[in-house]
Amino acid sequence: MKTPPAPGAKPASRGRRARRFGLYVAAFLAMGLVAVAAMVRFTGRIERAEAPVSAVAAEPAQDAAPVVAPSGLIIPVQGVTARQMVDSWGQARGGGTRAHTGIDIMAPGGSSVLAAAGGRIERVFESGAGGHTIYVRSHDGRWIYYYAHLGAYAPELREGAAVRAGQQIGLVGDTGNAGAGNYHLHFGMSRMAPGERWYAGTPVNPYPLLAGSTATR
């Protein structure tokens, strides 16, 4: 015959269950600590692996200031210098059926297109050959400045609006017959006689004026 437990004492089976529960809790906590430590080490490896990417994707450089040629014209693509331009005036186009009456200024797509001189926007035109185009007449009416193959127009650009030299008027693109991915600005200049429309005039090679010539415009 078993001796009955003393008053207030817990049965042996209940004590074993309590000890077992404590062991389970301790084991669970230990597993949690191991998991947290592993995550910390894994996260550290990811951060170290991604560090070079973050460095490459650092804050973008600020746009370069517009380049002013001795002629007084602004090179009409931001970030392009005179030495980077090529004189493509007169080159054969259309399989030799016509000559190039302007110059192509190569630049990454989306680069800012700037007004080469102040004036008034005479025509915003969608051309099969030139794509998105802008014609700006100088304040004295003697010149038309032509910008073609734009990727986009500047916000709120409209015919009749005045523009100042160096003002952004669009973005470099590949519209019209430029060819997909052939990003550049076609820039042309025409000397205008009184009464001539925006599409008329006598084309003049802008390269010497942009590349450093002091020729009188």
Side-chain angles (χ1 to χ4, degrees):
M1 183 174 178
K2 294 182 179 181
T3 304
K10 296 181 179 179
S13 58
R14 185 177 301 175
R16 283 195 298 273
R17 285 198 299 270
R19 287 193 298 274
R20 190 178 299 119
F21 178 78
L23 291 174
Y24 288 157
V25 171
F28 179 80
L29 290 175
M31 291 174 62
L33 292 174
V34 171
V36 169
M39 289 177 65
V40 169
R41 288 195 299 271
F42 181 70
T43 303
R45 286 196 296 270
I46 291 177
E47 290 176 349
R48 287 192 293 273
E50 290 181 345
V53 178
S54 299
V56 171
E59 186 177 35
Q62 297 297 315
D63 285 341
V67 178
V68 183
S71 64
L73 288 177
I74 299 288
I75 293 181
V77 177
Q78 195 157 34
V80 173
T81 66
R83 292 184 177 182
Q84 293 174 298
M85 294 189 299
V86 174
D87 188 359
S88 56
W89 172 270
Q91 292 180 353
R93 293 290 189 270
T97 60
R98 56 186 173 82
H100 194 219
T101 54
I103 61 171
D104 290 338
I105 303 175
M106 313 307 293
S111 300
S112 293
V113 174
L114 311 176
R120 192 167 299 276
I121 298 173
E122 186 145 325
R123 185 72 168 170
V124 177
F125 185 65
E126 296 300 315
S127 166
H132 302 332
T133 65
I134 301 173
Y135 295 78
V136 177
R137 190 180 292 265
S138 62
H139 290 301
D140 61 11
R142 296 173 53 200
W143 293 94
I144 283 285
Y145 305 101
Y146 174 57
Y147 309 81
H149 306 309
L150 301 176
Y153 299 112
E156 301 180 3
L157 191 83
R158 67 185 187 281
E159 293 178 1
V163 295
R164 66 183 185 279
Q167 178 180 332
Q168 184 188 40
I169 58 175
L171 301 176
V172 170
D174 60 353
T175 58
N177 62 7
N182 184 27
Y183 297 110
H184 68 279
L185 171 71
H186 172 95
F187 177 69
M189 292 175 57
S190 293
R191 190 188 301 274
M192 308 301 290
E196 284 187 315
R197 302 285 303 279
W198 51 274
Y199 53 80
T202 303
V204 173
N205 184 1
Y207 178 80
L209 297 169
L210 294 177
S213 171
T214 56
T216 302
R217 293 190 290 124

